[in-house]
Amino acid sequence: MDDIVRQAIAKWPNVPDCYGWLGLDARGNWYMRDDQAQAAGPFAPENKGDSHADSKGSLLQHEKLIDFIQRNYESDATGRWFFQNGPQRVYVELEATPFIWRVHPAPEFGVTAHTGQAARVQRCVLDEEGRLYLETDLGFGLVHTQDMTHAADAVVQGLWVPQELQASALPARFGYACSPQAMQKK
């Protein structure tokens, strides 16, 4: 976390949390969700095949803002991921998982989070739709679609041995919440 963020928390400790305004998609892109996007529905589709273009929001493209968000991206004790924006926690709606992994080609098969942090793979998971996930020293995440060839090579070489799990079981199993906003409303 940035020092300036820690100082802001100390100066203003009682700023209310923010829900629904920030989303992370399955490709590691950040989205700002204004009132109109939130009114259009949830960030992630509730059913496969549902369109959610209107509820996704606006793709963030400002590099310095994205870097700031990623440096101050953490989770709380309940598995809700947030961006600490000065004194305010901005909880993140997840389309898939808290991390999106980029996999480097052979022979290293290095793994980097969408945040730019390098990670060490501890476990590999395959869901019923063929999506590949990695549990790492940083946390749990989905392999980026563009890197599935590299990931498949790691599996074929026996470096990663996928464990099959249902996608619906992953948040509870790996301790993350896809929609802090929905949890807050309950």
Side-chain angles (χ1 to χ4, degrees):
M1 189 179 298
D2 289 358
D3 285 337
I4 194 166
V5 171
R6 285 189 190 89
Q7 292 168 10
I9 293 169
K11 190 172 182 178
W12 299 289
N14 299 316
V15 174
D17 296 335
C18 179
Y19 293 89
W21 286 84
L22 187 62
L24 177 69
D25 77 1
R27 295 176 64 84
N29 297 309
W30 295 99
Y31 285 82
M32 186 64 64
R33 302 181 68 237
D34 61 13
D35 286 330
Q36 185 177 355
Q38 290 183 53
F43 179 69
E46 293 175 359
N47 300 306
K48 186 179 178 189
D50 285 355
S51 172
H52 68 291
D54 291 341
S55 64
K56 208 165 186 178
S58 301
L59 175 67
L60 292 181
Q61 297 179 345
H62 191 279
E63 286 184 36
K64 290 188 186 244
L65 175 58
I66 293 167
D67 289 344
F68 181 63
I69 291 170
Q70 293 181 162
R71 283 194 316 272
N72 296 286
Y73 180 58
E74 299 181 7
S75 67
D76 66 15
T78 64
R80 298 176 303 174
W81 284 80
F82 62 89
F83 153 54
Q84 189 69 46
N85 184 23
Q88 185 174 53
R89 276 192 179 175
V90 178
Y91 282 97
V92 178
E93 297 292 298
L94 303 173
E95 185 175 37
T97 58
F99 289 102
I100 305 303
W101 303 118
R102 299 308 310 253
V103 179
H104 306 278
E108 304 88 24
F109 296 110
V111 174
T112 305
H114 70 278
T115 59
Q117 299 165 283
R120 287 186 314 276
V121 176
Q122 299 169 340
R123 181 185 314 180
C124 181
V125 173
L126 185 68
D127 75 10
E128 68 276 9
E129 303 224 357
R131 291 176 294 213
L132 196 67
Y133 305 82
L134 301 174
E135 182 178 22
T136 75
D137 57 326
L138 294 180
F140 187 75
L142 178 66
V143 172
H144 194 288
T145 55
Q146 289 181 325
D147 296 337
M148 283 301 293
T149 301
H150 303 316
D153 290 344
V155 170
V156 168
Q157 290 184 27
L159 300 173
W160 302 342
V161 179
Q163 173 187 3
E164 292 187 23
L165 293 172
Q166 294 291 311
S168 61
L170 298 177
R173 176 81 180 262
F174 294 99
Y176 65 93
C178 289
S179 180
Q181 183 178 33
M183 289 174 65
Q184 196 261 349
K185 289 180 179 179
K186 290 180 181 179

